[in-house]
């Protein structure tokens, strides 16, 4: 097997697992179900991944690689830093309202963080990548005048992200979009206040 074929099959297993993890979580997906979805023989799994834990970390890393690329695109589409932030959070709300689109960090965070240091570390890296990008966009907004000078970009980025993670979790618990709408209203209020200050 060539290195390209190896990488393609490995990525194919990861891609097959992502919707299963979104729907059932990490522990809810058995190896037989996973390999059936990936259409690879049962004996192949440990050829590509040393353990289910290593595999789970690879799935999380792949998810965040795609997510961060999408965030980069959304933030860059805004003519100003403030517009970039609005693009990102509006996209988050719309994705969470869809049946098939969810946040893997919300889905797996509570489930795996106390069970596996490798999975927790993968989630932490991904979340840090998101908040770093949000902070950079806030700094861009201060530089272009769409947000005022003197904001603590890192603190604001983390606070906004935490509010949206909480809203996404509550939306799942309540089967209701209201927490997401509240998060958007709160985000708009923060951005409006900072714009006017």
């Amino acid at each position: 097997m060539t290195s390209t074929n190896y990488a393609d099959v490995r990525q194919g297993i990861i891609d097959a697992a992502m919707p299963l993890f979104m729907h059932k979580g990490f522990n809810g997906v058995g190896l037989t179900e996973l390999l059936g979805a990936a259409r690879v023989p049962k004996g192949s799994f440990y050829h590509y991944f040393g353990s289910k834990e290593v595999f789970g970390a690879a799935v999380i890393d792949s998810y965040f690689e795609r997510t961060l690329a999408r965030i980069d695109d959304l933030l860059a589409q805004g003519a100003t830093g403030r517009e970039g932030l609005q693009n990102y959070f509006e996209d988050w709300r719309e994705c969470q309202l869809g049946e098939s689109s969810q946040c893997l960090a919300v889905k797996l965070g509570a489930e795996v963080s106390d069970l596996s240091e490798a999975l927790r570390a993968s989630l932490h890296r991904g979340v840090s990548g998101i908040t770093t990008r949000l902070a950079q966009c806030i700094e861009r907004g201060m530089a272009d005048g769409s947000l005022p000078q003197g904001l603590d970009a890192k603190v604001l980025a983390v606070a906004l992200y935490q509010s949206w993670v909480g809203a996404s979790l509550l939306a799942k618990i309540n089967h209701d979009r209201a927490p997401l709408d509240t998060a958007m209203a709160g985000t708009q209020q923060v951005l409006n206040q900072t714009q006017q200050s």
Side-chain angles (χ1 to χ4, degrees):
M1 178 180 293
T2 67
S3 60
T4 301
N5 287 342
Y6 177 91
D8 288 346
V9 173
R10 186 178 187 278
Q11 188 62 47
I13 298 171
I14 290 171
D15 292 344
M18 213 165 297
L20 296 175
F21 281 9
M22 289 283 198
H23 181 64
K24 296 184 172 183
F26 179 72
N27 291 317
V29 178
L31 188 56
T32 301
E33 179 182 14
L34 169 64
L35 295 175
R39 297 183 178 179
V40 295
K42 190 170 185 177
S44 297
F45 180 80
Y46 293 106
H47 177 68
Y48 297 101
F49 306 98
S51 67
K52 189 178 178 188
E53 183 181 41
V54 169
F55 170 67
V59 172
I60 292 168
D61 289 342
S62 182
Y63 166 80
F64 276 111
E65 182 180 337
R66 295 174 191 181
T67 297
L68 293 174
R70 180 170 177 78
I71 291 170
D72 287 339
D73 184 53
L74 288 165
L75 296 178
Q77 286 176 22
T80 65
R82 188 176 188 277
E83 289 178 9
L85 292 171
Q86 290 175 315
N87 288 345
Y88 169 67
F89 289 116
E90 186 59 47
D91 182 74
W92 184 330
R93 178 170 64 168
E94 293 309 309
C95 285
Q96 290 298 304
L97 293 174
E99 287 297 317
S100 61
S101 298
Q102 300 175 28
C103 176
L104 198 62
V106 172
K107 182 69 175 181
L108 298 185
E111 178 188 0
V112 304
S113 291
D114 290 335
L115 300 177
S116 165
E117 178 57 24
L119 298 180
R120 188 206 63 76
S122 290
L123 286 165
H124 177 73
R125 280 192 304 273
V127 167
S128 294
I130 293 173
T131 56
T132 295
R133 283 161 172 77
L134 294 179
Q136 290 168 346
C137 194
I138 292 166
E139 290 170 352
R140 176 183 154 209
M142 288 190 285
D144 65 30
S146 61
L147 295 172
Q149 299 294 317
L151 295 174
D152 188 325
K154 184 174 181 181
V155 168
L156 182 55
V158 170
L160 288 171
Y161 181 77
Q162 288 174 349
S163 75
W164 278 87
V165 169
S168 297
L169 183 58
L170 288 172
K172 288 173 68 67
I173 290 170
N174 299 336
H175 287 237
D176 184 1
R177 68 175 282 155
L180 296 165
D181 292 338
T182 300
M184 179 58 78
T187 298
Q188 293 288 3
Q189 187 174 34
V190 167
L191 295 179
N192 288 339
Q193 285 176 346
T194 55
Q195 189 179 44
Q196 294 167 6
S197 62

